[in-house]
């Protein structure tokens, strides 16, 4: 058996490895290389060293996008997780139609980001039209518009994870808590939340990375308007790469920095919430 | 054991097959390419996408040379071009929008001095040249913009007892335009319109009308005063007060509140004009296709110069130029380059080609082969009338604007000013200081 694995293993892993090389490894290496060059098309490039990285930090729009994205990620991470947990908490109780409610909450996830963005643009502009304004009126309009959109889209998904986590808690724990006379509040904070910590880890990881990576919804809802005030990092990188002639390398350098930031944050967060898991 | 062996070989065969399948799919583009070369045209104008495809099919039917036409979606031409040029089957023919666009693509532009499209130019000086002085980009469509107006509605206004002027012939200055626009706005209910001007939308589909086309006018007069040709490193913004006047006129006498402008699109402006809800609409000859066939009949379509209150503007004509330059990719094979030149020669000399360009697509071309082809587009005819009357056409100086980023800066400052969240000073800063910064940045990076 082992012999046939070594003999034939490549045959089955081969296509996936090849696809992974073509789809991820090669573009990644090429992308890092291009961040040190000046180019118009990716096939013709000239080495310029760290010049592009210098360009990144002298670009005010990048710094604005950086803190705007950070604020956006913090707000959405908190809101989505709290709402998703509350919804999940309500929907694990058995009553008629729980499944319908769960499906309804999950459904926004099945719609693509661009479509969602346009739908919400119409909805929000329809409402704001009452005051003769629109979602692109100012950066903070766009900010809250995107927060609403993101919550609407992701609460259902996180809810499913929380439901799974809540359902995996053995019921005898709740029973014994009740026998011991614990209040509902005590049960929630001392039993339920510590025991769903693995779900919290997964959900915060997903919401933080989603917040940082958000692109389609941003593009469709505001496209960074007005004055690039509602431009999240991913869109900023895209606009630098495609929108500014001669700045392709700077865009590429931004992308590398972006990768480092997201990777560092995701690892830090994972370590923090994991440590809570082992404690409980 | 035997069965096992059969199974593994079948599996191996399947995987191998699927792999070769994908690999073969990558290279299948080469199979239909003839030895005579082929043409791949990356078209810039979505309005004419199907017209170009039809023309390409006619050429293939006539000569057997394969012509592929791809059209980039509106507003994504540079993006598409960037990724298409990196492919092994890159466009053999593409477009740049002027000297600044050519700067980006100069490494890919081949010398066109021996081509028929250069030889047939009525005025060869309008071709863009490279550093060595060889023509590398040839304009193929001359376009005109100004204030499109609805003659029927304007006549209705002239008939009012308190009309400031009573005939279109008197509308030759900013002051007259201002009086008319404000008069229409005041009597909009009586005239049955929602406003004098269509909405000055700042959605990305529409904001170029102000940050590029309207900004051309203060630039034109400044260049004229200072005898500037080409791209200056800095500008003074001498005519910014006039720019403010015309912009104020647009936003204060329009179909919508200024605070709602950020979300208004070109479709909004188009429909407002096409349905007769507004009298004036700043756009160009290309807008005819979107306006025609609705409430405004062809006879009622006219175009006025954009008056901003600059000295001597009574003699100002419409704003005419080109943003459509053909460039042949010098990285393409010799055969493909030759095929592309032959195709373009056919387009501007054959009856089929000329008919498609002049009548179907409605372009006014700078080639001498089009003498017998006159456009039926009333907006093009309006331009011809102004030129015949001896008015001086305003040139397209926006092709010298330093970068897209500069235009965006101006556009965003204009929007902030319009919706009341910013001051006019920000427009000045974006216009004058932004020019210097962007000029420096783009030339350092060029």
């Amino acid at each position: 058996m082992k012999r046939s694995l070594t003999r034939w293993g490549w045959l089955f892993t081969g296509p996936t490895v090849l696809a992974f090389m073509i789809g991820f490894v090669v573009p990644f290496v090429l992308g890092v290389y291009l961040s040190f060059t000046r180019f118009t098309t990716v096939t013709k490039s000239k080495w310029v060293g760290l010049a592009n990285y210098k360009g990144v930090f002298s670009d005010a729009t990048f710094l604005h996008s950086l803190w705007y994205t950070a604020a956006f990620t913090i707000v959405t991470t908190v809101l989505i997780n709290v709402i998703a947990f509350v919804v999940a908490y309500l929907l694990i109780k058995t009553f008629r139609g729980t499944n319908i409610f769960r499906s309804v909450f999950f459904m926004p996830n099945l719609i693509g980001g661009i479509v969602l963005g346009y739908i919400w643009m119409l909805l929000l502009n329809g409402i704001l039209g009452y005051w003769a304004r629109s979602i692109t009126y100012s950066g903070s309009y766009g900010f809250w518009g995107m927060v609403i959109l993101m919550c609407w889209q992701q609460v259902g998904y996180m809810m499913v994870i929380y439901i799974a986590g809540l359902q995996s808690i053995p019921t005898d724990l709740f029973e014994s808590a009740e026998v011991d006379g614990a209040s509902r509040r005590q049960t929630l904070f001392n039993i339920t939340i510590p025991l769903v910590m693995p779900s919290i880890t997964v959900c915060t990881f997903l919401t933080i990375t989603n917040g940082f990576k958000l692109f389609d919804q941003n593009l469709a809802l505001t496209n960074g308007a007005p004055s690039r005030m509602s431009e999240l990092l991913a869109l900023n990188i895209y606009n630098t790469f495609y929108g500014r002639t001669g700045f392709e390398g700077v865009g590429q350098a931004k992308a590398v920095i972006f990768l480092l930031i997201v990777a560092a944050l995701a690892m830090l967060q994972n370590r923090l919430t994991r440590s809570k898991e082992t404690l409980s | 054991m035997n069965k096992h062996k059969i199974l593994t070989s079948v599996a191996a065969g399947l995987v191998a097959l699927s792999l070769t399948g994908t690999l073969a799919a990558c290279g299948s583009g080469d199979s239909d390419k003839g030895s005579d070369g082929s043409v791949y045209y990356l078209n810039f104008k979505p309005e004419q996408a199907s017209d170009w495809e039809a023309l390409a099919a006619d050429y293939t039917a006539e000569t057997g040379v394969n012509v592929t036409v791809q059209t980039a979606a509106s507003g994504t031409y540079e993006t598409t071009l960037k990724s298409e040029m990196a492919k092994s089957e890159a466009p053999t023919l593409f477009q740049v929008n002027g000297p600044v666009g050519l700067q980006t693509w100069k490494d890919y532009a081949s010398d066109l001095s021996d081509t028929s499209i250069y030889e047939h130019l009525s005025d060869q000086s309008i071709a863009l040249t490279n550093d060595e002085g060889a023509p590398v980009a040839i304009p193929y469509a001359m376009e005109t913009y100004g204030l499109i107006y609805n003659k029927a509605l304007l006549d209705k206004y002239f008939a009012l007892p308190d009309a400031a002027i009573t005939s279109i012939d008197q509308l030759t200055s900013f002051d007259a335009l201002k009086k008319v626009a404000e008069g229409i706005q005041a009597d909009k209910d009586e005239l049955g319109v929602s406003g004098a001007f269509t909405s000055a939308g700042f959605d990305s589909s529409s904001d170029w009308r102000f940050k590029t086309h309207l900004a051309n006018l203060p630039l034109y007069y400044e260049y004229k005063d200072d005898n500037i040709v080409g791209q200056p490193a800095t500008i003074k913004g001498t005519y910014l007060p006039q720019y403010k006047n015309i912009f104020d006129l647009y936003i204060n006498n329009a179909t919508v509140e200024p605070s709602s402008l950020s979300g208004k699109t070109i479709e909004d402006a188009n429909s407002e004009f096409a349905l007769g809800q507004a009298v004036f609409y700043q756009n160009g000859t290309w807008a005819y296709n979107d306006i025609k066939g609705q409430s405004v009949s062809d006879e009622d379509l006219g175009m006025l110069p954009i008056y901003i209150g600059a000295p001597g503007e009574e003699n100002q004509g419409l704003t005419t130029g080109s943003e459509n330059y053909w460039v042949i990719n010098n990285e393409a094979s010799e055969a493909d380059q030759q095929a592309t030149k032959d195709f373009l020669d056919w387009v501007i000399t054959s009856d089929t080609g000329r008919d498609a360009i002049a009548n179907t697509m409605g372009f006014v071309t700078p080639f001498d082969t089009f003498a017998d082809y006159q456009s039926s587009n009333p907006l093009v005819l309006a331009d011809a009338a102004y030129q015949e009357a001896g008015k001086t056409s305003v040139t397209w100086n926006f092709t010298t604007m330093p970068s897209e980023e500069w235009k965006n800066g101006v556009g965003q400052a204009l929007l902030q000013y319009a919706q009341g969240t910013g001051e006019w000073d920000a427009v000045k800063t974006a216009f004058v200081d932004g020019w210097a910064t962007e000029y420096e940045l783009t030339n350092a990076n060029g």
Side-chain angles (χ1 to χ4, degrees):
Chain A
M1 185 62 202
K2 201 166 179 196
R3 229 188 84 209
S4 67
L5 249 186
T6 44
R7 249 177 85 186
W8 293 105
W10 62 268
L11 191 64
F12 294 94
T13 51
T16 320
V17 169
L18 192 70
F20 185 72
M21 295 295 283
I22 296 172
F24 289 91
V25 180
V26 173
F28 178 77
V29 174
L30 194 64
V32 174
Y33 165 74
L34 284 174
S35 73
F36 296 102
T37 62
R38 170 153 30 206
F39 61 97
T40 304
T41 60
V42 292
T43 41
K44 249 189 184 182
S45 57
K46 202 173 82 200
W47 187 266
V48 291
L50 285 171
N52 290 331
Y53 286 89
K54 272 182 215 145
V56 171
F57 289 101
S58 57
D59 181 356
T61 65
F62 182 75
L63 299 175
H64 168 80
S65 290
L66 189 61
W67 74 254
Y68 191 80
T69 309
F72 176 77
T73 308
I74 293 167
V75 171
T76 50
T77 303
V78 172
L79 278 181
I80 290 173
N81 283 290
V82 170
I83 300 171
F85 185 81
V86 171
V87 173
Y89 199 64
L90 294 174
L91 291 180
I92 44 161
K93 311 226 158 71
T94 41
F95 57 87
R96 277 173 72 92
T98 11
N99 278 331
I100 294 176
F101 277 110
R102 286 182 193 176
S103 321
V104 166
F105 275 105
F106 187 73
M107 249 187 261
N109 240 293
L110 305 176
I111 311 172
I114 290 278
V115 179
L116 261 187
Y118 283 126
I119 292 173
W120 274 94
M121 184 180 73
L122 291 176
L123 281 173
L124 294 169
N125 279 347
I127 296 166
L128 291 169
Y130 183 76
W131 294 276
R133 287 183 182 178
S134 75
I135 186 78
T136 45
Y137 182 77
S138 80
S140 57
Y141 278 49
F143 184 88
W144 293 107
M146 282 190 284
V147 168
I148 294 171
L149 192 163
M150 276 295 269
C151 288
W152 191 74
Q153 184 181 20
Q154 299 205 344
V155 159
Y157 191 83
M158 302 306 154
M159 172 202 75
V160 171
I161 299 173
Y162 281 122
I163 286 178
L166 286 168
Q167 278 174 341
S168 68
I169 302 172
T171 37
D172 34 346
L173 278 174
F174 292 114
E175 279 163 22
S176 51
E178 211 180 318
V179 170
D180 290 341
S183 70
R184 288 179 77 173
R185 208 186 137 80
Q186 281 171 318
T187 325
L188 175 67
F189 283 102
N190 298 328
I191 299 176
T192 317
I193 291 184
L195 286 178
V196 291
M197 218 49 214
S199 303
I200 296 180
T201 310
V202 173
C203 287
T204 40
F205 174 77
L206 286 176
T207 39
I208 287 179
T209 48
N210 281 347
F212 259 92
K213 291 187 310 186
L214 194 72
F215 177 75
D216 320 18
Q217 290 87 338
N218 189 194
L219 180 76
L221 191 70
T222 65
N223 197 11
S227 306
R228 305 182 77 172
M229 292 315 273
S230 67
E231 194 178 57
L232 294 171
L233 268 185
L235 185 62
N236 182 274
I237 294 170
Y238 173 83
N239 282 340
T240 313
F241 192 93
Y242 283 114
R244 292 204 73 171
T245 302
F247 285 73
E248 291 82 359
V250 178
Q252 203 60 47
K254 282 182 180 178
V256 172
I257 293 170
F258 175 65
L259 169 90
L260 294 177
I261 293 174
V262 176
L265 270 176
M267 279 196 280
L268 184 74
Q269 176 272 333
N270 231 338
R271 178 173 286 182
L272 280 177
T273 39
R274 274 273 161 73
S275 65
K276 288 265 166 42
E277 268 173 50
T278 43
L279 273 180
S280 64
Chain B
M1 184 61 204
N2 205 8
K3 201 176 165 193
H4 181 79
K5 209 170 182 181
I6 293 172
L7 265 177
T8 43
S9 36
V10 167
L14 279 177
V15 171
L17 206 69
S18 66
L19 268 178
T20 49
T22 36
L23 289 178
C26 299
S28 65
D30 302 55
S31 54
D32 53 3
K33 201 172 89 178
S35 55
D36 301 335
S38 60
V39 182
Y40 172 15
Y41 178 29
L42 190 67
N43 172 34
F44 169 74
K45 288 188 155 281
E47 311 87 285
Q48 273 88 24
S50 51
D51 300 337
W52 274 111
E53 276 155 31
L55 189 60
D58 286 346
Y59 185 67
T60 309
E62 214 177 293
T63 61
V65 176
N66 200 4
V67 180
T68 318
V69 178
Q70 262 297 358
T71 303
S74 177
T76 63
Y77 190 76
E78 279 292 313
T79 323
T80 315
L81 181 59
K82 220 173 259 184
S83 42
E84 287 296 307
M85 290 298 272
K87 292 182 181 170
S88 52
E89 297 275 307
T92 59
L93 175 62
F94 61 96
Q95 284 179 238
V96 296
N97 61 2
V100 176
L102 181 63
Q103 192 61 26
T104 318
W105 295 104
K106 61 181 179 195
D107 293 345
Y108 293 85
S110 61
D111 186 345
L112 300 176
S113 43
D114 63 336
T115 58
S116 140
I117 48 170
Y118 179 64
E119 280 156 19
H120 283 296
L121 274 181
S122 319
D123 172 8
Q124 293 191 331
S125 69
I126 60 174
L128 299 178
T129 52
N130 62 9
D131 302 336
E132 288 83 50
V136 289
I138 311 276
Y140 68 88
M142 302 303 282
E143 293 176 304
T144 299
Y145 69 85
L147 276 179
I148 302 173
Y149 64 91
N150 184 329
K151 285 181 191 161
L153 286 175
L154 212 50
D155 284 339
K156 223 166 149 187
Y157 165 78
F158 292 145
L160 291 179
D162 58 346
I165 56 168
T166 51
S167 141
I168 189 75
D169 302 330
Q170 294 167 285
L171 196 46
T172 54
S173 68
F174 175 74
D175 290 332
L177 179 67
K178 187 174 159 79
K179 278 181 201 145
V180 171
E182 284 169 353
I184 291 173
Q185 192 71 16
D187 291 321
K188 61 180 182 179
D189 296 331
E190 202 174 324
L191 294 167
V193 296
S194 326
F197 292 97
T198 58
S199 57
F202 272 85
D203 178 83
S204 60
S205 60
S206 166
D207 61 351
W208 48 267
R209 294 193 290 133
F210 313 101
K211 69 182 185 189
T212 309
H213 284 185
L214 188 61
N216 183 62
L217 287 141
L219 218 51
Y220 166 74
Y221 280 105
E222 182 173 337
Y223 281 14
K224 213 167 107 175
D225 282 359
D226 301 349
N227 293 319
I228 295 172
V229 276
Q231 190 189 27
T234 54
I235 51 169
K236 292 188 288 199
T238 330
Y239 288 91
L240 279 175
Q242 283 82 354
Y243 189 37
K244 179 173 185 293
N245 288 341
I246 183 83
F247 189 65
D248 281 340
L249 197 66
Y250 280 2
I251 58 174
N252 295 330
N253 302 287
T255 49
V256 297
E257 290 286 313
S259 58
S260 67
L261 290 180
S262 71
K264 293 285 170 193
T265 61
I266 193 78
E267 283 85 10
D268 289 325
N270 257 331
S271 64
E272 285 159 13
F273 186 82
L275 299 174
Q277 292 167 355
V279 184
F280 298 108
Y281 176 25
Q282 187 210 306
N283 211 335
T285 44
W286 55 88
Y288 173 61
N289 285 336
D290 296 320
I291 298 171
K292 69 176 175 194
Q294 296 187 60
S295 345
V296 188
S297 66
D298 277 10
E299 304 86 76
D300 286 338
L301 280 175
M303 201 183 325
L304 276 177
I306 303 172
Y307 298 114
I308 61 169
E313 67 180 358
E314 306 77 40
N315 292 319
Q316 182 187 323
L318 298 169
T319 317
T320 301
S322 184
E323 207 186 10
N324 302 279
Y325 292 84
W326 275 328
V327 180
I328 294 180
N329 182 1
N330 61 11
E331 305 261 294
S333 71
E334 282 298 323
D336 284 356
Q337 288 189 42
Q338 194 50 51
T340 308
K341 289 173 185 170
D342 294 343
F343 170 64
L344 291 179
D345 173 51
W346 178 83
V347 166
I348 64 156
T349 54
S350 73
D351 288 343
T352 324
R354 288 187 293 173
D355 180 61
I357 295 280
N359 299 329
T360 318
M361 303 184 204
F363 289 140
V364 181
T365 61
F367 305 112
D368 57 16
T369 50
F370 281 81
D372 332 326
Y373 286 84
Q374 217 195 5
S375 178
S376 57
N377 180 341
L379 302 175
V380 171
L381 299 178
D383 182 43
Y386 271 102
Q387 293 197 1
E388 226 158 85
K391 306 276 184 179
T392 320
S393 293
V394 175
T395 49
W396 282 23
N397 296 322
F398 59 78
T399 49
T400 63
M401 288 174 182
S403 68
E404 205 54 40
E405 195 69 13
W406 180 84
K407 298 181 198 173
N408 289 339
V410 173
Q412 284 142 5
L414 279 176
L415 170 63
Q416 298 271 4
Y417 166 73
Q419 62 186 13
T421 48
E423 298 293 323
W424 180 258
D425 278 344
V427 180
K428 271 191 211 161
T429 316
F431 205 89
V432 179
D433 302 348
W435 187 289
T437 338
E438 279 302 313
Y439 179 86
E440 208 170 292
L441 264 178
T442 47
N443 283 299
N445 255 337

